[in-house]
Amino acid sequence: AQSVTQPDIHITVSEGASLELRCNYSYGATPYLFWYVQSPGQGLQLLLKYFSGDTLVQGIKGFEAEFKRSQSSFNLRKPSVHWSDAAEYFCAVGAPFGNEKLTFGTGTRLTIIP
Amino acid sequence: DSGVTQTPKHLITATGQRVTLRCSPRSGDLSVYWYQQSLDQGLQFLIQYYNGEERAKGNILERFSAQQFPDLHSELNLSSLELGDSALYFCASSIGLAVQETQYFGPGTRLLVL
């Protein structure tokens, strides 16, 4: 079965600074990988996803993520954060084969300070 | 706004009771997913329906059941409620069955069991 780990429970970043949120997965092959964002009081919204091909994927709101097979990682990055990026971020993994559905990480809460 | 609606937004009930949560998917989406989000368990997949039929089950308790109606709206029934069932319940929808499809999440129903 697949699993996903987000090692950082909470990250604080200054507005305008760069951001990297970590995600590590466990799966026997290359899984489908996703990043979702949950703003306070809202449902989750897809930021980006990776299936195959170019290992650097661009998403909405200026986010990007890089798939690194050797490190089983799919870290989310943004060069310059805005106060509106304060939210909870979830990494998720899905298996290309079989009937397993998305497995979500425990989330990383991002706080932005002025 | 994802286009997915959930009612009610908040629900307060007592242990032993039964509640029904309702979800209307985005127009055109045939798949509906139910998730439970709690502090100790994180975001857990419960069950998926596609065009009225159950397609996948996750960590759904036997006290919980769901169905999808001909108009594609879905209901999640929670019975014999326990304190530990207090959580945020999300519905998500997607066009089809494939795990790589984008899931659009509703705003959630917050359930408090007293």
Side-chain angles (χ1 to χ4, degrees):
Chain A
Q2 72 260 27
S3 66
V4 59
T5 302
Q6 293 181 249
D8 305 304
I9 296 173
H10 185 201
I11 283 183
T12 300
V13 175
S14 298
E15 191 168 14
S18 63
L19 170 71
E20 183 167 22
L21 302 182
R22 297 184 290 164
C23 171
N24 293 98
Y25 67 88
S26 175
Y27 184 66
T30 299
Y32 298 141
L33 294 159
F34 307 79
W35 274 100
Y36 279 84
V37 61
Q38 183 181 20
S39 298
Q42 310 267 341
L44 280 72
Q45 180 185 22
L46 181 70
L47 286 175
L48 48 79
K49 54 187 176 183
Y50 173 78
F51 301 148
S52 64
D54 191 347
T55 56
L56 187 63
V57 291
Q58 303 297 321
I60 62 171
K61 305 185 182 191
F63 286 93
E64 66 178 27
E66 186 171 12
F67 169 66
K68 291 185 177 180
R69 185 192 310 274
S70 61
Q71 298 177 19
S72 297
S73 69
F74 188 57
N75 293 349
L76 182 71
R77 300 194 296 245
K78 187 169 185 178
S80 175
V81 297
H82 185 261
W83 63 266
S84 60
D85 293 324
E88 185 122 23
Y89 291 80
F90 293 90
C91 182
V93 59
F97 308 105
N99 202 30
E100 290 192 62
K101 294 303 168 183
L102 288 186
T103 300
F104 285 83
T106 49
T108 298
R109 185 157 60 93
L110 175 65
T111 298
I112 308 293
I113 55 175
Chain B
D1 183 2
S2 67
V4 178
T5 60
Q6 290 186 249
T7 56
K9 289 193 74 170
H10 302 276
L11 202 47
I12 301 175
T13 188
T15 55
Q17 295 298 304
R18 172 189 169 96
V19 297
T20 297
L21 312 184
R22 183 187 167 105
C23 168
S24 292
R26 286 191 328 152
S27 177
D29 285 359
L30 298 178
S31 261
V32 168
Y33 306 79
W34 286 98
Y35 292 89
Q36 180 194 59
Q37 186 179 39
S38 61
L39 284 175
D40 54 344
Q41 301 274 355
L43 191 62
Q44 301 262 322
F45 165 69
L46 296 178
I47 198 164
Q48 179 199 13
Y49 278 81
Y50 175 79
N51 204 21
E53 291 189 10
E54 181 187 305
R55 294 306 300 251
K57 259 185 170 177
N59 300 319
I60 188 166
L61 299 172
E62 284 193 14
R63 300 183 285 108
F64 296 1
S65 65
Q67 54 185 322
Q68 187 179 27
F69 295 87
D71 67 352
L72 301 177
H73 91 270
S74 178
E75 292 181 355
L76 179 67
N77 301 295
L78 315 177
S79 61
S80 303
L81 284 167
E82 302 175 0
L83 296 178
D85 297 328
S86 296
L88 194 51
Y89 291 84
F90 284 110
C91 166
S93 72
S94 65
I95 292 174
L97 283 170
V99 70
Q100 64 264 41
E101 293 180 8
T102 298
Q103 293 184 28
Y104 296 87
F105 282 74
T109 293
R110 187 170 294 280
L111 173 66
L112 180 59
V113 182
L114 300 176

